[in-house]
């Protein structure tokens, strides 16, 4: 059976195909708000066929962009209407208790990441999701309950804002400079981005562990997201890297609902 999974974010979307518990293929596309239901199907169907996989027999999806979700729901109804479909949101079983002030306002991707962390790694756990829009920290306690987390700007977004607002600054490649002490403007910006965000990650993880009153050796810290590697290479608190954590969470959602 081929399970199609769609993780749709503000900047990028990741499409995955599972056969059983194995992620056999994955593809990344831009999250264009102008894309129609038919175009989304053309992308997903085209990827699956090009990979030589069996026809899609179930779909699991999470989406953080309301305008895109409208088109995706139309796609699912038109092309996958007779199949088991799981859209993460109210009424869909996730198996993870949400202990926040307003569970309905928690992003679907955050719930899915927390579920995957709890099921695959076990709590207490912290997920560090570094995507194109935000750096998100999600926390699961030792009873596998989702407690909430923290949201900071993404490193790429910060670089773009710095280039726009700094009169003498320009866009630079996110790369490791020769030294933490930049010898020119480009390297100074790169140093602030790479080492600054590595410090942000480590500092937030340390504070979260302190708030959990947990032994750091007992806490799984899982990094995921498309923009993580250059920063994560300089983090000291990360225990695992799992770039497809959200897709795994979507597979688990499907299994809990069908």
């Amino acid at each position: 059976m081929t399970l199609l999974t769609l993780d749709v974010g503000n900047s990028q979307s990741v499409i995955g195909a599972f056969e059983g518990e194995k992620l056999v293929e994955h593809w990344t596309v831009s999250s264009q708000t102008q894309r129609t239901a038919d175009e989304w199907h053309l992308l997903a169907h085209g990827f699956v066929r090009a990979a030589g996989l069996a026809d899609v027999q179930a779909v699991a999806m999470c989406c953080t962009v309301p305008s895109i979700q409208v088109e995706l729901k139309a796609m699912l109804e038109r092309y996958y209407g007779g199949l088991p479909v799981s859209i993460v949101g109210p009424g869909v079983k996730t198996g993870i208790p949400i202990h926040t002030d307003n569970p309905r306002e928690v992003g679907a991707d955050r719930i899915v990441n927390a579920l995957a962390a709890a099921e695959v790694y076990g709590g207490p756990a912290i997920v560090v999701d570094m995507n194109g829009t935000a750096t998100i920290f999600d926390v699961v306690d030792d009873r596998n309950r989702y407690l909430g987390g923290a949201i900071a700007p993404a490193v790429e977004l910060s670089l773009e804002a710095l280039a726009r607002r700094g009169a003498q600054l320009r866009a630079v490649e996110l790369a490791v400079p020769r030294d933490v002490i930049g010898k020119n403007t480009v390297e100074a910006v790169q140093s602030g981005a790479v080492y600054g965000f590595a410090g942000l990650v480590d500092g937030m993880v340390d504070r979260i562990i302190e708030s959990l009153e947990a032994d750091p050796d007992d806490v799984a810290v899982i990094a995921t997201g498309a923009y993580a590697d250059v920063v994560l290479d300089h983090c000291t608190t990360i225990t695992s890297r799992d770039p497809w954590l959200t897709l795994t969470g979507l597979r688990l959602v499907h299994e809990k609902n069908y």
Side-chain angles (χ1 to χ4, degrees):
M1 182 191 87
T2 298
L3 168 68
L4 179 68
T5 55
L6 298 103
D7 168 25
V8 182
N10 289 287
S11 302
Q12 290 188 339
S13 300
V14 181
I15 302 170
F18 283 87
E19 291 184 351
E21 296 184 357
K22 182 180 180 181
L23 177 65
V24 292
E25 284 289 355
H26 53 80
W27 310 272
T28 302
V29 300
S30 61
S31 298
Q32 296 180 17
T33 55
Q34 300 89 350
R35 190 173 287 143
T36 67
D38 295 328
E39 289 172 324
W40 276 107
H41 175 255
L42 183 63
L43 277 175
H45 181 70
F47 285 138
V48 170
R49 293 300 296 271
L53 301 176
D55 289 341
V56 172
Q57 294 174 288
V59 183
M61 180 191 85
C62 67
C63 179
T64 59
V65 187
S67 60
I68 295 179
Q69 180 153 302
V70 170
E71 295 298 324
L72 288 172
K73 286 183 175 179
M75 177 199 73
L76 293 174
E77 182 177 350
R78 179 172 182 180
Y79 294 101
Y80 303 104
L83 302 180
V85 172
S86 301
I87 302 175
V88 180
V92 173
K93 298 175 184 177
T94 61
I96 185 164
I98 304 173
H99 286 246
T100 62
D101 291 341
N102 184 2
R104 288 180 175 269
E105 73 177 9
V106 181
D109 56 335
R110 301 182 68 186
I111 296 172
V112 170
N113 282 343
L115 169 62
E119 293 274 344
V120 177
Y121 298 91
I126 303 168
V127 177
V128 183
D129 186 356
M130 302 188 74
N131 57 59
T133 304
T135 302
I136 303 174
F137 301 82
D138 290 306
V139 185
V140 175
D141 68 6
D142 58 357
R143 295 168 62 184
N144 285 342
R145 302 177 301 180
Y146 176 72
L147 301 184
I151 301 175
V155 59
E156 291 275 1
L157 189 66
S158 298
L159 284 174
E160 292 172 7
L162 194 62
R164 287 198 307 268
R165 299 294 294 271
Q168 295 185 359
L169 301 176
R170 64 181 185 273
V172 302
E173 178 188 4
L174 180 59
V176 179
R178 290 177 294 175
D179 189 77
V180 67
I181 303 173
K183 298 299 184 181
N184 54 63
T185 301
V186 169
E187 290 187 347
V189 172
Q190 290 173 330
S191 177
V194 174
Y195 299 117
F197 271 85
L200 181 150
V201 170
D202 287 338
M204 285 299 302
V205 168
D206 286 340
R207 288 174 181 269
I208 291 170
I209 291 175
E210 181 180 352
S211 179
L212 287 171
E213 298 181 347
D215 184 336
D217 292 337
D218 295 335
V219 181
V221 183
I222 309 108
T224 191
Y227 295 89
D229 287 347
V230 69
V231 173
L232 292 175
D233 287 342
H234 300 277
C235 295
T236 60
T237 55
I238 302 299
T239 61
S240 301
R241 297 193 192 187
D242 191 340
W244 316 120
L245 184 74
T246 311
L247 299 183
T248 298
L250 287 170
R251 174 181 61 79
L252 293 168
V253 168
H254 166 74
E255 292 173 357
K256 291 179 181 299
N257 284 270
Y258 292 98

Short mmCIF file of all heavy atoms in Angstrom, two decimals, residues 1-2 13 29 49 58 68 91 94 98 132 137 164 184 237 250:
data_model
loop_
_atom_site.label_atom_id
_atom_site.label_comp_id
_atom_site.label_asym_id
_atom_site.label_seq_id
_atom_site.Cartn_x
_atom_site.Cartn_y
_atom_site.Cartn_z
N MET A 1 0.83 -1.20 0.00
CA MET A 1 0.00 0.00 0.00
C MET A 1 0.86 1.24 0.00
O MET A 1 1.83 1.33 0.75
CB MET A 1 -0.91 0.03 1.23
CG MET A 1 -1.83 1.24 1.27
SD MET A 1 -2.70 1.46 2.85
CE MET A 1 -1.48 2.41 3.74
N THR A 2 0.55 2.21 -0.84
CA THR A 2 1.25 3.48 -0.85
C THR A 2 0.44 4.51 -0.08
O THR A 2 -0.71 4.80 -0.42
CB THR A 2 1.49 3.99 -2.28
OG1 THR A 2 2.31 3.05 -2.98
CG2 THR A 2 2.19 5.34 -2.27
N SER A 13 6.82 22.77 1.10
CA SER A 13 5.98 21.62 1.39
C SER A 13 6.76 20.36 1.06
O SER A 13 7.49 20.31 0.07
CB SER A 13 4.69 21.66 0.56
OG SER A 13 3.94 22.83 0.84
N VAL A 29 8.67 20.86 -2.47
CA VAL A 29 8.21 21.87 -3.43
C VAL A 29 7.93 23.16 -2.67
O VAL A 29 7.80 23.17 -1.45
CB VAL A 29 6.94 21.40 -4.16
CG1 VAL A 29 7.19 20.12 -4.93
CG2 VAL A 29 5.77 21.22 -3.19
N ARG A 49 4.04 8.53 -9.67
CA ARG A 49 4.17 7.74 -10.90
C ARG A 49 5.61 7.71 -11.39
O ARG A 49 6.10 6.67 -11.86
CB ARG A 49 3.25 8.32 -11.98
CG ARG A 49 1.78 8.18 -11.68
CD ARG A 49 1.36 6.72 -11.54
NE ARG A 49 1.54 5.97 -12.77
CZ ARG A 49 0.61 5.86 -13.71
NH1 ARG A 49 -0.56 6.45 -13.56
NH2 ARG A 49 0.85 5.16 -14.80
N ALA A 58 -4.05 5.72 0.36
CA ALA A 58 -4.44 6.48 1.54
C ALA A 58 -3.62 7.77 1.55
O ALA A 58 -2.53 7.84 0.97
CB ALA A 58 -4.21 5.68 2.82
N ILE A 68 -4.04 27.49 1.27
CA ILE A 68 -3.58 26.28 0.58
C ILE A 68 -4.43 25.09 1.02
O ILE A 68 -4.75 24.22 0.21
CB ILE A 68 -2.09 26.03 0.86
CG1 ILE A 68 -1.24 27.15 0.24
CG2 ILE A 68 -1.66 24.68 0.29
CD1 ILE A 68 0.25 26.99 0.47
N GLY A 91 -10.95 16.68 15.63
CA GLY A 91 -11.70 15.48 15.26
C GLY A 91 -10.85 14.34 14.76
O GLY A 91 -11.36 13.23 14.59
N THR A 94 -4.91 11.75 17.29
CA THR A 94 -3.45 11.81 17.24
C THR A 94 -2.81 10.96 18.32
O THR A 94 -1.64 10.58 18.21
CB THR A 94 -2.94 13.25 17.38
OG1 THR A 94 -3.35 13.77 18.66
CG2 THR A 94 -3.48 14.13 16.27
N ILE A 98 -2.89 17.10 24.50
CA ILE A 98 -2.37 18.44 24.28
C ILE A 98 -2.66 19.29 25.50
O ILE A 98 -3.82 19.62 25.78
CB ILE A 98 -2.98 19.08 23.01
CG1 ILE A 98 -2.72 18.18 21.80
CG2 ILE A 98 -2.39 20.47 22.78
CD1 ILE A 98 -3.42 18.64 20.54
N GLY A 132 11.78 27.35 6.91
CA GLY A 132 12.06 28.61 6.26
C GLY A 132 11.45 29.82 6.92
O GLY A 132 11.87 30.96 6.67
N PHE A 137 10.27 25.13 18.76
CA PHE A 137 10.61 24.15 19.79
C PHE A 137 9.30 23.57 20.33
O PHE A 137 8.42 24.32 20.78
CB PHE A 137 11.38 24.81 20.93
CG PHE A 137 12.66 25.46 20.51
CD1 PHE A 137 12.66 26.74 19.97
CD2 PHE A 137 13.88 24.80 20.65
CE1 PHE A 137 13.85 27.35 19.58
CE2 PHE A 137 15.06 25.40 20.26
CZ PHE A 137 15.04 26.69 19.72
N ARG A 164 17.22 43.59 4.06
CA ARG A 164 16.24 44.61 3.69
C ARG A 164 16.39 45.87 4.52
O ARG A 164 16.26 46.99 4.02
CB ARG A 164 14.82 44.07 3.82
CG ARG A 164 14.41 43.08 2.76
CD ARG A 164 12.89 42.93 2.72
NE ARG A 164 12.34 42.61 4.03
CZ ARG A 164 12.13 41.37 4.46
NH1 ARG A 164 12.43 40.35 3.68
NH2 ARG A 164 11.61 41.15 5.66
N ASN A 184 35.11 40.64 7.62
CA ASN A 184 34.44 41.52 6.67
C ASN A 184 32.94 41.42 6.94
O ASN A 184 32.49 40.61 7.76
CB ASN A 184 34.78 41.15 5.22
CG ASN A 184 34.51 39.67 4.93
OD1 ASN A 184 33.37 39.22 5.01
ND2 ASN A 184 35.57 38.92 4.60
N THR A 237 23.48 20.46 21.91
CA THR A 237 22.40 19.82 22.66
C THR A 237 21.59 18.82 21.84
O THR A 237 20.78 18.08 22.39
CB THR A 237 21.43 20.89 23.21
OG1 THR A 237 20.97 21.71 22.13
CG2 THR A 237 22.13 21.76 24.24
N LEU A 250 2.84 11.90 10.32
CA LEU A 250 1.64 11.76 9.49
C LEU A 250 1.29 10.29 9.27
O LEU A 250 0.11 9.91 9.27
CB LEU A 250 1.83 12.47 8.16
CG LEU A 250 1.81 14.00 8.23
CD1 LEU A 250 2.25 14.61 6.90
CD2 LEU A 250 0.42 14.51 8.60
#
